[in-house]
Amino acid sequence: MLQVRMQTQTRDSGVWECVRRTCRTEGVSGFYRGMSMPLSTVSISSSLVFGTYRNVLHLLQELRHRGAADAHRKADLFVSGFAGGVAQVLVMSPADIVKVRLQCQSELPDSRPKYRGPVHCLLSIARDEGLLGLYRGSAALALRDGPSFATYFLTYNSICDALRSTDSSQPGWTVVLLAGGVSGMCGWAVGTPMDVIKARLQVSGVSGRRYRGFFHCLSHSVRSEGPAVLFRGLTVNCIRAFPVNMSVFAMYELVVRFLRSPS
């Protein structure tokens, strides 16, 4: 929530000012506004990301006539991660625009909320803007998630390869946790500029500012607020990314090792 509000408005000068104002005006529940829709789709989007990543990586190994036990090339990891990030946009975009609209509606000049909840928001967007309205900002979302997940998986595998002991075919759990946290931060460092543009396009017209498209939003934001606007919310993203992706990769490795273990 903090990330979205910092990216789409200029009222707060920093993270703590945004935290204080949200607590004062909306209470603790304000930090969780709009989260029910992303929570309901996170398992599907994560399955798409990791499933596409693993299948594309396996396909590239076969095309190179390499076995499953052979080391993966860095380029293959990058391409597979990119494919996984783009694939999830199909599911992620509608849930993401609902989340952003709900989190930003309290910032609008009219204090009366436009949307009563996630389902009402979803149906309202589809009715007023058409089904394609649910995919507003999806190009920026794909440009965010493609490079972001490519960096994410490449960083994770590179750290695991560098720190894995020579007498083990699998990284230790400390390495998994470290690599997962760092890869999450690196992924957001790459993805945050497009995340800013994506969020602004999603509230375009609703927030009082209207952008004609991706390039107009990008040029207008940089011209009016400076290049630093593209990294607004990066601190919040990185603070959140480290523990979240430690958990993600720990569970990923746990499931993969369980499935590979002899029955």
Side-chain angles (χ1 to χ4, degrees):
M1 187 281 298
L2 295 175
Q3 160 212 344
V4 169
R5 290 192 176 176
M6 291 183 66
Q7 290 174 347
T8 56
Q9 52 86 27
T10 57
R11 185 185 305 181
D12 301 312
S13 59
V15 176
W16 294 114
E17 185 176 341
C18 186
V19 170
R20 286 195 296 269
R21 187 168 59 82
T22 301
C23 281
R24 185 173 62 250
T25 58
E26 301 174 58
V28 176
S29 62
F31 292 104
Y32 298 93
R33 190 182 301 275
M35 289 308 299
S36 58
M37 186 63 71
L39 285 173
S40 66
T41 58
V42 67
S43 60
I44 302 173
S45 61
S46 295
S47 297
L48 267 175
V49 171
F50 281 88
T52 303
Y53 163 73
R54 294 290 301 185
N55 281 286
V56 172
L57 193 59
H58 179 70
L59 176 62
L60 292 174
Q61 286 287 85
E62 287 190 338
L63 290 175
R64 296 184 188 279
H65 305 289
R66 297 164 66 90
D70 295 331
H72 299 296
R73 295 190 178 185
K74 303 300 183 186
D76 292 351
L77 293 168
F78 188 89
V79 170
S80 301
F82 192 98
V86 172
Q88 75 156 353
V89 172
L90 183 65
V91 174
M92 187 75 175
S93 187
D96 197 62
I97 194 170
V98 168
K99 179 197 75 172
V100 170
R101 292 279 181 95
L102 288 173
Q103 290 178 346
C104 291
Q105 68 175 348
S106 63
E107 303 293 311
L108 303 181
D110 183 4
S111 59
R112 184 179 179 182
K114 180 178 181 180
Y115 307 113
R116 297 191 297 270
V119 175
H120 179 249
C121 180
L122 185 74
L123 295 176
S124 297
I125 294 171
R127 184 186 63 246
D128 299 338
E129 305 172 43
L131 290 177
L132 290 179
L134 296 173
Y135 289 89
R136 176 176 291 181
S138 59
L141 184 60
L143 288 173
R144 181 197 77 176
D145 287 348
S148 178
F149 277 102
T151 304
Y152 181 66
F153 286 109
L154 179 60
T155 302
Y156 175 75
N157 283 277
S158 297
I159 293 175
C160 286
D161 290 343
L163 300 181
R164 182 172 52 226
S165 58
T166 54
D167 58 344
S168 175
S169 61
Q170 296 176 331
W173 288 109
T174 302
V175 174
V176 167
L177 294 175
L178 175 64
V182 173
S183 66
M185 294 175 69
C186 291
W188 272 111
V190 172
T192 294
M194 287 301 102
D195 193 49
V196 173
I197 302 304
K198 180 269 303 176
R200 293 186 171 205
L201 286 172
Q202 288 174 334
V203 297
S204 176
V206 180
S207 63
R209 290 180 293 186
R210 183 175 293 278
Y211 301 107
R212 294 191 298 270
F214 174 83
F215 291 106
H216 177 247
C217 180
L218 177 63
S219 61
H220 181 272
S221 298
V222 172
R223 186 172 61 251
S224 59
E225 300 174 61
V229 70
L230 297 177
F231 293 94
R232 184 171 290 171
L234 177 59
T235 302
V236 174
N237 285 338
C238 287
I239 292 172
R240 177 189 65 184
F242 197 92
V244 167
N245 290 286
M246 282 173 59
S247 304
V248 167
F249 273 108
M251 184 56 65
Y252 168 75
E253 289 288 346
L254 189 65
V255 171
V256 168
R257 294 179 190 190
F258 173 76
L259 294 175
R260 285 178 176 173
S261 62
S263 300

